[in-house]
Amino acid sequence: MGRGRAKAKQTKVARQLKYSTPHTDFDSLQRELSGGSDKSYDSFTSEESWNSEEEWRRA
């Protein structure tokens, strides 16, 4: 008992997720897929940061 409201809300949210069309930034997607350089990713993929992390784990 008392599950009707919760189930109705879950059903509503599931329908919204299933049938909604979110905005897609195709320019950003194309840059990402083509391998274009994006400054926000450079700091995470630089070898220098990976090397320092490996040195930290060895210590």
Side-chain angles (χ1 to χ4, degrees):
M1 288 176 52
R3 195 165 133 61
R5 239 185 236 175
K7 186 169 180 358
K9 182 165 179 132
Q10 288 174 350
T11 303
K12 179 182 176 184
V13 170
R15 274 197 198 111
Q16 287 175 344
L17 290 173
K18 183 176 181 180
Y19 296 113
S20 70
T21 313
H23 174 70
T24 304
D25 186 4
F26 290 108
D27 294 330
S28 175
L29 180 62
Q30 183 178 9
R31 279 194 307 271
E32 184 178 338
L33 293 175
S34 67
S37 65
D38 186 9
K39 299 230 184 265
S40 63
Y41 294 112
D42 287 344
S43 63
F44 295 112
T45 59
S46 69
E47 287 205 20
E48 186 176 304
S49 65
W50 286 106
N51 289 339
S52 64
E53 183 178 336
E54 291 299 322
E55 290 171 5
W56 177 80
R57 288 184 183 190
R58 288 185 207 142

